[in-house]
Amino acid sequence: MTAPLLSVRDLAVTFHLRGGLLRPTRHLKAVNGVSFDIAPGETLAVVGESGSGKSTMARAVMRLVEPSAGSIHLDGDDITALRGEPLRRIRPKLQMVFQDPYSSLDPSMIIADVVGEPLTVHGVATGADRDVRVQALLEQVGLGRYHMNRYPYEFSGGQRQRIAIARAIALQPKLLVLDEAVSALDVSTQNQILNLLEDLRRELGIAYLFISHDLGVVEHIADRVAVTYLGRIVEEGPTERIFAKPAHPYTEALLSAVPIPNPRVQRSRRRIVLPGDVPSPLAPPPGCPFHTRCPHVMDVCKTVMPAHTPMAGGGSAACYLHDPQATEDSRCAS
Ligand SMILES: Nc1ncnc2c1ncn2[C@@H]1O[C@H](COP(=O)(O)OP(=O)(O)O)[C@@H](O)[C@H]1O
Ligand code: SF4
Ligand SMILES: [Mg+2]
């Protein structure tokens, strides 16, 4: 097995919400004991409802928020606590594309500067040399060189996301973190950007940490999928296995909401509507974080957190339904 490019172990991020007069500080565990690896050139999709900690996880990997526990290794280096100059030095390896193509590009800069800025900042190229590189980058993302002197407001949402991607790949990163990068786009533009990402991966060997609240979007781009709920990964595995044989009841519910192009398959599949809302991460339930909404909840689920059990077909799920010992115990108890 090749060594992982990114290795995240037991990552936790807690936000401390300052209370006012007579109100204590509250602690919000946005990410809670998350572990995963990404191999060079691999795409890991992280999928879960809004508020499940995906962006916080991405920001921790990018070293934009401080982890409160755990470790992050990139390309063999421990980057968990990097700051200042050492962080600046690894930045070229690790780039990010955000959701909103309307606010992530500086409106006062022409495209040549938006895309060329990282080249200048990291001392890679200036002047005419930089312009030549920017032209090549624009062409790589499917934009003509004649766009160089235009401003971000002159572009559509999809074009802006292409510009953000050109800027992100300018320094030839090994890992690109895409946080809901196609979520604001219409379906056909989404597909164009997903195809572009696939082409770039083939040409440049970049690995992606691809975050989306929509499981349907990731099927064709991801090698592996990790499903998050209340700051935890509840299931992960190869995309094919996750889509064909989801193991965790939460993954099953997410999958049941994904439209299938073939109407006969659609009709034979039951939509699982979960009761209630996601609990507040300020007061997560004890035991399995999903137990307040799970159609299969057992007594043990309400008190003890299930560990990840390896699944046939690859990956693992944190659910007692797949833990032979727990299901045996619950049968004995009933
Ligand atoms: N800077 C912050 N300060 C306090 N709470 C935050 C902050 N950022 C995110 N949160 C909280 O952390 C939880 C996870 O948020 P987030 O990582 O944005 O989830 P997602 O990207 O999956 O929607 C949410 O409850 C959110 O309100
Ligand atoms: S551990 Fe229990 S509550 Fe949690 S997902 Fe599995 S069956 Fe449902
Ligand atoms: Mg988010």
Side-chain angles (χ1 to χ4, degrees):
M1 243 182 91
T2 44
L5 172 66
L6 181 74
S7 189
V8 172
R9 286 293 169 276
D10 304 316
L11 181 71
V13 180
T14 303
F15 293 112
H16 304 284
L17 310 178
R18 295 262 298 278
L21 196 64
L22 301 176
R23 286 189 60 194
T25 299
R26 293 181 301 165
H27 307 286
L28 189 152
K29 290 186 173 169
V31 177
N32 199 351
V34 159
S35 300
F36 60 86
D37 285 341
I38 301 182
E42 186 180 46
T43 299
L44 174 74
V46 174
V47 180
E49 278 165 288
S50 173
S52 61
K54 306 180 300 295
S55 293
T56 306
M57 206 183 290
R59 291 164 59 79
V61 167
M62 290 300 300
R63 297 294 296 106
L64 299 171
V65 292
E66 287 297 311
S68 38
S71 67
I72 305 165
H73 285 77
L74 179 73
D75 216 8
D77 294 326
D78 186 346
I79 64 163
T80 320
L82 277 195
R83 303 202 169 82
E85 183 53 27
L87 178 59
R88 210 185 77 87
R89 254 185 278 129
I90 64 112
R91 266 279 164 257
K93 289 186 186 181
L94 184 62
Q95 293 288 311
M96 184 156 176
V97 175
F98 295 89
Q99 168 169 5
D100 188 356
Y102 292 89
S103 63
S104 63
L105 305 179
D106 186 335
S108 66
M109 280 161 83
I110 55 167
I111 300 312
D113 293 334
V114 169
V115 176
E117 190 180 48
L119 298 170
T120 314
V121 169
H122 286 272
V124 176
T126 51
D129 181 22
R130 193 189 78 158
D131 284 349
V132 171
R133 284 176 185 247
V134 170
Q135 281 174 18
L137 285 163
L138 288 177
E139 272 160 23
Q140 206 156 17
V141 299
L143 293 173
R145 63 180 69 177
Y146 53 89
H147 291 309
M148 299 260 295
N149 294 316
R150 296 172 67 193
Y151 288 91
Y153 75 85
E154 298 178 63
F155 294 87
S156 68
Q159 284 175 322
R160 286 186 212 211
Q161 221 45 331
R162 286 178 193 269
I163 294 164
I165 292 168
R167 178 184 161 99
I169 63 169
L171 297 169
Q172 300 175 313
K174 296 195 172 186
L175 179 70
L176 198 55
V177 176
L178 299 132
D179 188 2
E180 305 276 9
V182 301
S183 304
L185 308 174
D186 63 69
V187 173
S188 95
T189 314
Q190 268 186 358
N191 287 334
Q192 289 167 16
I193 299 292
L194 292 173
N195 288 338
L196 168 65
L197 291 171
E198 205 46 61
D199 291 345
L200 292 176
R201 175 161 80 145
R202 251 197 316 274
E203 288 161 24
L204 308 173
I206 312 178
Y208 297 135
L209 174 57
F210 186 94
I211 290 172
S212 175
H213 66 277
D214 183 353
L215 190 53
V217 164
V218 310
E219 183 172 8
H220 299 293
I221 191 167
D223 298 305
R224 301 179 71 83
V225 176
V227 179
T228 54
Y229 190 79
L230 272 183
R232 297 181 183 273
I233 291 178
V234 296
E235 176 164 13
E236 66 83 29
T239 309
E240 252 183 64
R241 202 274 293 159
I242 295 280
F243 276 77
K245 274 187 158 231
H248 197 283
Y250 180 58
T251 314
E252 256 187 304
L254 286 183
L255 200 59
S256 80
V258 174
I260 295 180
N262 180 337
R264 281 207 350 224
V265 181
Q266 178 74 57
R267 238 177 280 127
S268 69
R269 204 177 57 181
R270 194 170 49 94
R271 171 85 192 262
I272 303 166
V273 180
L274 295 172
D277 295 321
V278 183
S280 164
L282 281 166
C288 171
F290 188 55
H291 89 250
T292 55
R293 304 171 78 198
C294 181
H296 309 285
V297 59
M298 299 172 276
D299 280 347
V300 62
C301 309
K302 298 176 188 169
T303 50
V304 186
M305 167 83 81
H308 272 263
T309 308
M311 300 305 305
S316 63
C319 171
Y320 287 121
L321 293 174
H322 303 282
D323 178 344
Q325 186 59 47
T327 37
E328 184 62 26
D329 290 351
S330 84
R331 230 175 276 133
C332 295
S334 57

